[in-house]
């Protein structure tokens, strides 16, 4: 790794480095093969495995499982830091590019609000709820409190579907309608609601989405 850098290592070698020295159940490389096999050879799927799942793999104990989970989380957070650059949002593809790496691997739903300034640059990403999306649990005050404090000009709703299918549900549409109405009343329009999943993303639209491009020159 010192000679070639992290990019010079194969997936197997990177996982073996996390495993460490191996043991009676096999060398670090052998255990790395088992870990990758459990994830179907996919690093994205590996990032979704829980510590309990990893610990069931022969040769993977609590400490090794923790190192793998932490490595995956560091990767997600490194991707999410790009939000701090004040990136301008022009459409749902930009939303997926920014939050996809953070939301796609998750095993439970997270509901976020991207707060935007008048030029539709990201001010902040706000985690509203974590867990099953329920319209009764997502109150407008929880979504718009931070938007008011940050003096946001608009916001975009974002959440993930752990099932892998980004098709919006009736519940998704109900949440969109409720929060869009609240945004109109407060003068902080909801420009879009984007659902992110392993098999792509979908934009629900809100009637204000056309303003994404039109308002950027303000």
């Amino acid at each position: 790794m010192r000679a070639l850098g992290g990019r010079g290592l194969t997936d197997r070698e990177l996982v073996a480095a996390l495993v460490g020295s191996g043991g009676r159940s096999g060398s670090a490389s052998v255990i790395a093969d088992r870990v990758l096999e459990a994830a179907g050879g996919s690093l994205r799927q590996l990032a979704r495995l829980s510590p309990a799942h990893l610990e069931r793999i022969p040769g993977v104990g609590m400490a090794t499982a923790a190192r793998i989970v932490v490595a995956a989380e560091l990767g997600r957070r490194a991707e999410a830091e790009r939000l701090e650059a004040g990136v301008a949002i022009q459409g749902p593809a930009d939303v997926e590019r920014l939050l996809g790496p953070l939301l796609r691997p998750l095993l439970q739903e997270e509901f976020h609000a991207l707060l935007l300034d008048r030029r539709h640059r990201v001010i902040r990403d706000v985690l509203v709820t974590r867990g099953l999306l329920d319209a009764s649990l997502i109150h407008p005050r929880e979504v718009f409190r931070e938007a008011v404090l940050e003096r946001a000009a608009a916001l975009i709703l974002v959440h993930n579907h752990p099932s892998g299918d980004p098709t919006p549900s009736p519940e998704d549409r109900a949440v969109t309608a409720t929060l869009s109405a609240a945004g109109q009343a407060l003068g902080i329009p909801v420009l879009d609601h984007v659902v992110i999943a392993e098999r792509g993303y979908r934009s629900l639209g809100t009637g204000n989405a056309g303003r994404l491009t039109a308002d950027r020159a303000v």
Side-chain angles (χ1 to χ4, degrees), residues 38-83:
S42 167
L43 293 181
R44 181 176 294 179
Q45 183 61 31
L46 176 58
R48 294 170 63 95
L49 296 183
S50 67
H53 191 143
L54 289 165
E55 289 172 24
R56 290 197 291 269
I57 300 171
V60 177
M62 184 184 300
T64 298
R67 285 195 295 271
I68 293 172
V69 170
V70 166
E73 183 60 25
L74 284 171
R76 281 193 288 267
R77 294 189 185 189
E79 286 292 325
E81 279 186 1
R82 292 185 295 174
L83 288 171

Side-chain angles (χ1 to χ4, degrees), residues 26 91 121 147 208:
R121 293 172 300 193
N208 294 310

Side-chain angles (χ1 to χ4, degrees), residues 6-210:
R7 292 187 178 182
L9 301 182
T10 65
D11 293 349
R12 179 176 185 251
E13 289 167 338
L14 287 170
V15 176
L18 290 173
V19 170
S21 59
R24 287 181 296 179
S25 61
S27 66
S29 294
V30 169
I31 296 172
D33 286 337
R34 294 174 187 156
V35 170
L36 288 171
E37 182 180 356
S42 167
L43 293 181
R44 181 176 294 179
Q45 183 61 31
L46 176 58
R48 294 170 63 95
L49 296 183
S50 67
H53 191 143
L54 289 165
E55 289 172 24
R56 290 197 291 269
I57 300 171
V60 177
M62 184 184 300
T64 298
R67 285 195 295 271
I68 293 172
V69 170
V70 166
E73 183 60 25
L74 284 171
R76 281 193 288 267
R77 294 189 185 189
E79 286 292 325
E81 279 186 1
R82 292 185 295 174
L83 288 171
E84 298 176 2
V87 177
I89 301 296
Q90 300 184 52
D94 292 330
V95 175
E96 198 281 335
R97 179 174 57 83
L98 288 171
L99 287 182
L102 180 70
L103 296 179
R104 279 195 305 268
L106 299 182
L107 297 177
Q108 61 180 337
E109 289 192 2
E110 286 192 357
F111 190 88
H112 291 240
L114 277 181
L115 309 185
L116 309 179
D117 66 13
R118 295 183 69 192
R119 294 181 180 272
H120 296 159
R121 293 172 300 193
V122 175
I123 299 173
R124 191 152 68 88
D125 167 33
V126 176
L127 172 61
V128 179
T129 64
R130 178 181 285 121
L132 186 64
L133 184 61
D134 186 332
S136 66
L137 299 179
I138 301 178
H139 195 281
R141 67 170 173 265
E142 305 301 329
V143 176
F144 289 96
R145 178 189 294 117
E146 296 298 322
V148 171
L149 291 174
E150 296 281 0
R151 298 186 178 181
L155 59 82
I156 295 176
L157 309 174
V158 192
H159 82 281
N160 64 306
H161 280 182
S163 66
D165 182 359
T167 303
S169 67
E171 190 74 12
D172 296 340
R173 298 187 186 281
V175 168
T176 303
T178 298
L179 296 180
S180 293
Q184 288 181 348
L186 290 169
I188 305 176
V190 175
L191 300 182
D192 203 349
H193 184 177
V194 180
V195 181
I196 293 174
E198 283 287 343
R199 296 198 292 275
Y201 66 92
R202 295 289 185 275
S203 166
L204 280 82
T206 63
N208 294 310

